[in-house]
Amino acid sequence: MKRTIFLIAILLSTLPVHSQKGPDIIPTPVKMQVNEGTFTIDAKTTIQFDKKEKELKEVAAFLTGYIRDISGIELSHNSRTNKRIILKESNDAELAMEGYHLKVTSENILIEAANEKGIFYGIQSLLQTLPAIRTNASLEIPAMEITDHPRFQWRGMMLDVSRHFYSPEAVKQYIDLLATYKFNTFHWHLVDDPGWRIEIKKYPKLTEIGAWRVDHLDKVWSERPPAQEGEEATYGGYYTQEQIKEIVAYAQKRNITIVPEIELPAHSVAALAAYPEYSCTEEPQLVNTGGIYPKGIQSAYCPGKDKTFDFLEDIFLEVLELFPSEYIHIGGDELDKSQWEKCDACQARINEENLANEDGLQSYMVKRIEKFLNAHGRKLIGWDEILEGGLAPGATVMSWRGEAGGIKAAKMGHDVVMTPGSPCYFDHYQAGPEGEPAAIGGMNTLKDVYEYEPIPEELNAEEAKYVLGAQANVWTEYIATLSHLEYMVLPRMLALSEVVWSPAEHRDWEDFNNRLRGWHFRAFDQKGYHYNKGNSKVVITPQSVDGKLLVELESEIVGAEIVYTLDGSRPERDSKKYSKPVEIKESAPSKHPHC
């Protein structure tokens, strides 16, 4: 006797057509009521706002540009007409700093907020009722009333441009996606071992040498051998300071703060390839090519030398001129402290400062950099390894190795951003891995992201106040193109947007799927974005009930039909459809003895 051969398939084509009962707004608003009627935007429509407010003028220009792009209609500003889109700053106590009130009637549209940020978010909700690309269709907006504000103040997405360089235009597209879904923080990972991507005028070799590497495109990242002396470094790129200023301004107009990351003490191979005198050995080396590090490489700055701090402070002075963000990210992760153990200057520093060990030396370096940043009106943020040896007094912790670091920091009274590898690393697979583009490993599905709760149960109500929000990270070892990047973030970033914006009690997986497969998937298709339609794997859960072996089947694809066979044959459309747990019985040997 043998077990039944149990094969299953999911029929994606049987998904129900989404029927629109209201706007498919993501993230879902705090309060929304849909009423009878519509407002139609046409050539007679004007945007009305206080001309003395520069920020409102910029928001009005943003809305005008969008309407022009999708319809050719050029909206007037402050004209005398009965068809008005009114942008109004309000002192309404119900409106938080980023909240808004949106009211659409057949006569006009009113967006009220405490400032231009809330008005911009109200516009984003409005735009999710309109076409995503150029169309001849009339621009009808359903009558509705929305009161909305975010749950968390830090709503972030990170992009690593060190391992693979993305053009300024690609970065702007990424920022546009963030703005559409009400993220307010773009964490820009600008430097790392495989490439330095920001122009520093005082140290030109950072980009002349550090921005370029020998690249072995015929090998996967983890198997790329180190560069050899004499090989030409041809792969890379960097952003000029003028380009960075333009991107920062572009983001600011979309209510997005760019937080730059300048890695230290570790992940500094590219910088030390350009200026080896700031390493412990001062020996020449080459920019890292991928996953295999050459023997004896110096990957960390030497904190035993004062000139190292002079070098870093000079860099930060130029960074601070380019980025007005309150926070500056210093990395602080994955430090190989064995380099410091063998360094006379580092050991002398440990003795001079009465530090316990190399952990204490790491803490000394982070605290010294924090003091410098604080003196220039900025705050330090770093990965959770900055807890090692003692946390800098005002540092904010970004918890990536699970939530333990974030929990520890919050209990110490430090601000925290939650970004655990599971489920907030979007370089991990979201489906498959069969049939999926290459990823670094792991599995973070759309549902995993949607069900994430940034406030750990271990924190009480007072401690929970230190959790600023959450962020997803996109490391690009295996993501070399814009189309691949789009695929890895879409639609997972939409799930995260609802996690960090909408009230937790509003979270509804099926409703989110319906909205996602309505306006948003259509918009992705119209814009030519590459995206994942969902994890179509079927989860098989065996159960023992009254001595019977039952198997429960479940898929993340809401509304999909699951079909199965019990004889080892390939499931087809007319195979048995799953509706309840299936009993698995012993059977006689099948005609497929090889199965």
Side-chain angles (χ1 to χ4, degrees):
M1 301 293 285
K2 63 174 290 183
R3 286 287 182 192
T4 299
I5 304 300
F6 187 64
L7 296 180
I8 55 180
I10 188 167
L11 303 180
L12 295 180
S13 60
T14 63
L15 288 172
V17 176
H18 175 73
S19 59
Q20 185 162 334
K21 297 178 181 177
D24 293 330
I25 296 173
I26 294 178
T28 191
V30 173
K31 299 177 187 176
M32 180 170 68
Q33 177 180 317
V34 179
N35 302 318
E36 292 293 327
T38 59
F39 179 91
T40 302
I41 296 176
D42 56 28
K44 296 180 180 178
T45 305
T46 191
I47 304 178
Q48 181 177 307
F49 59 93
D50 186 343
K51 290 183 286 187
K52 296 191 295 292
E53 298 293 337
K54 178 185 174 185
E55 292 82 4
L56 290 185
K57 186 176 182 179
E58 290 178 349
V59 173
F62 175 87
L63 177 57
T64 301
Y66 187 94
I67 298 301
R68 182 195 309 118
D69 290 345
I70 65 170
S71 67
I73 296 172
E74 188 73 37
L75 298 180
S76 64
H77 291 181
N78 293 310
S79 297
R80 293 187 176 181
T81 174
N82 291 329
K83 298 196 71 175
R84 298 176 298 167
I85 301 174
I86 304 165
L87 311 180
K88 181 181 178 183
E89 290 192 352
S90 170
N91 294 322
D92 188 339
E94 191 178 7
L95 298 175
M97 286 304 293
E98 295 182 286
Y100 66 92
H101 180 70
L102 167 64
K103 186 174 183 179
V104 181
T105 68
S106 57
E107 289 82 27
N108 58 52
I109 296 173
L110 171 65
I111 304 176
E112 282 186 288
N115 53 41
E116 78 285 354
K117 292 181 180 180
I119 290 174
F120 181 83
Y121 293 134
I123 287 173
Q124 290 302 325
S125 293
L126 195 72
L127 298 184
Q128 290 185 22
T129 70
L130 294 172
I133 61 170
R134 187 81 180 225
T135 179
N136 293 321
S138 62
L139 304 184
E140 291 188 349
I141 300 171
M144 58 183 171
E145 191 162 355
I146 293 174
T147 299
D148 201 11
H149 55 81
R151 181 184 177 197
F152 290 105
Q153 69 181 79
W154 188 294
R155 307 182 300 280
M157 289 286 297
M158 182 273 267
L159 178 62
D160 162 32
V161 296
S162 172
R163 288 161 181 85
H164 287 290
F165 178 73
Y166 290 86
S167 69
E169 292 71 28
V171 173
K172 288 178 183 178
Q173 179 183 309
Y174 195 73
I175 289 170
D176 284 337
L177 281 171
L178 270 61
T180 298
Y181 296 104
K182 302 184 176 74
F183 288 93
N184 65 355
T185 305
F186 171 36
H187 173 181
W188 204 359
H189 186 81
L190 286 161
V191 306
D192 211 309
D193 295 334
W196 183 282
R197 306 294 179 213
I198 173 174
E199 178 188 25
I200 301 297
K201 294 185 182 295
K202 188 167 184 176
Y203 299 101
K205 287 192 289 186
L206 285 170
T207 46
E208 291 171 2
I209 296 173
W212 305 93
R213 67 172 183 257
V214 175
D215 210 46
H216 299 277
L217 296 176
D218 57 327
K219 298 183 183 298
V220 298
W221 183 267
S222 59
E223 298 174 2
R224 293 182 179 182
Q228 302 299 314
E229 199 67 47
E231 286 187 290
E232 186 179 3
T234 58
Y235 184 92
Y238 65 92
Y239 307 97
T240 67
Q241 293 199 0
E242 287 306 309
Q243 288 172 326
I244 288 174
K245 289 176 184 176
E246 181 185 343
I247 291 169
V248 168
Y250 188 88
Q252 286 176 322
K253 290 179 180 178
R254 288 153 180 79
N255 278 354
I256 291 172
T257 298
I258 300 181
V259 175
E261 181 176 357
I262 307 298
E263 282 265 22
L264 65 94
H267 288 290
S268 303
V269 174
L272 296 175
Y275 294 95
E277 58 266 38
Y278 303 112
S279 68
C280 290
T281 67
E282 301 194 8
E283 294 177 359
Q285 61 186 34
L286 301 172
V287 177
N288 195 51
T289 61
I292 302 176
Y293 282 63
K295 198 171 184 181
I297 194 169
Q298 291 289 297
S299 61
Y301 294 113
C302 177
K305 306 168 185 173
D306 284 332
K307 68 179 182 179
T308 299
F309 290 95
D310 295 338
F311 174 70
L312 290 169
E313 289 174 6
D314 287 342
I315 289 171
F316 278 117
L317 283 174
E318 294 194 31
V319 169
L320 299 181
E321 283 293 314
L322 296 170
F323 296 95
S325 58
E326 179 182 17
Y327 291 92
I328 303 296
H329 205 299
I330 57 92
D333 61 313
E334 298 179 327
L335 170 63
D336 176 9
K337 299 185 178 80
S338 66
Q339 301 167 58
W340 293 355
E341 293 170 0
K342 304 169 187 174
C343 174
D344 291 341
C346 288
Q347 293 305 309
R349 179 79 74 185
I350 289 173
N351 292 329
E352 291 165 6
E353 300 293 336
N354 294 316
L355 306 174
N357 49 30
E358 286 72 26
D359 284 350
L361 184 57
Q362 178 180 359
S363 178
Y364 165 83
M365 189 173 192
V366 172
K367 288 176 180 177
R368 185 162 168 174
I369 294 297
E370 183 194 42
K371 187 176 180 181
F372 172 82
L373 292 176
N374 290 165
H376 290 82
R378 309 300 180 91
K379 293 182 179 179
L380 180 147
I381 185 169
W383 303 110
D384 54 58
E385 285 95 330
I386 65 173
L387 286 158
E388 295 171 6
L391 191 55
T396 297
V397 171
M398 195 167 272
S399 189
W400 73 278
R401 297 179 299 176
E403 295 182 328
I407 292 168
K408 180 179 179 181
K411 286 182 176 292
M412 294 167 62
H414 285 264
D415 287 339
V416 172
V417 176
M418 288 299 188
T419 179
S422 183
C424 292
Y425 270 40
F426 288 3
D427 54 334
H428 291 192
Y429 288 103
Q430 56 194 317
E434 302 85 1
E436 289 292 298
I440 200 167
M443 178 72 71
N444 288 328
T445 69
L446 180 68
K447 191 174 185 181
D448 292 334
V449 178
Y450 192 74
E451 292 181 343
Y452 178 58
E453 172 48 52
I455 304 292
E457 293 179 355
E458 293 87 342
L459 299 181
N460 61 35
E462 188 61 32
E463 293 162 345
K465 294 177 182 177
Y466 292 104
V467 178
L468 302 180
Q471 172 177 296
N473 300 322
V474 186
W475 303 99
T476 59
E477 287 93 335
Y478 294 82
I479 307 172
T481 64
L482 179 58
S483 60
H484 193 171
L485 174 62
E486 291 168 357
Y487 188 87
M488 298 306 281
V489 303
L490 298 175
R492 286 187 286 191
M493 68 176 292
L494 280 69
L496 182 65
S497 78
E498 200 142 299
V499 168
V500 292
W501 178 281
S502 306
E505 61 272 18
H506 285 193
R507 212 110 41 97
D508 184 317
W509 170 243
E510 187 165 339
D511 176 61
F512 171 75
N513 268 266
N514 286 334
R515 284 179 282 123
L516 181 66
R517 295 173 187 279
W519 187 90
H520 303 276
F521 275 12
R522 287 197 303 272
F524 297 163
D525 288 334
Q526 291 167 354
K527 292 181 177 181
Y529 290 161
H530 297 78
Y531 66 99
N532 182 277
K533 292 180 170 61
N535 185 354
S536 59
K537 277 197 168 184
V538 176
V539 177
I540 304 173
T541 307
Q543 301 173 341
S544 179
V545 180
D546 297 330
K548 297 178 181 179
L549 175 61
L550 303 180
V551 172
E552 184 179 49
L553 307 178
E554 184 180 12
S555 168
E556 287 189 3
I557 305 294
V558 174
E561 286 185 348
I562 301 173
V563 296
Y564 66 93
T565 63
L566 299 174
D567 61 0
S569 62
R570 180 182 176 86
E572 303 291 347
R573 189 169 296 279
D574 58 354
S575 297
K576 292 181 180 178
K577 291 181 173 58
Y578 176 79
S579 60
K580 62 181 181 179
V582 179
E583 182 179 356
I584 305 299
K585 301 177 181 179
E586 293 284 353
S587 63
S590 75
K591 298 178 183 178
H592 306 276
H594 60 282
C595 293

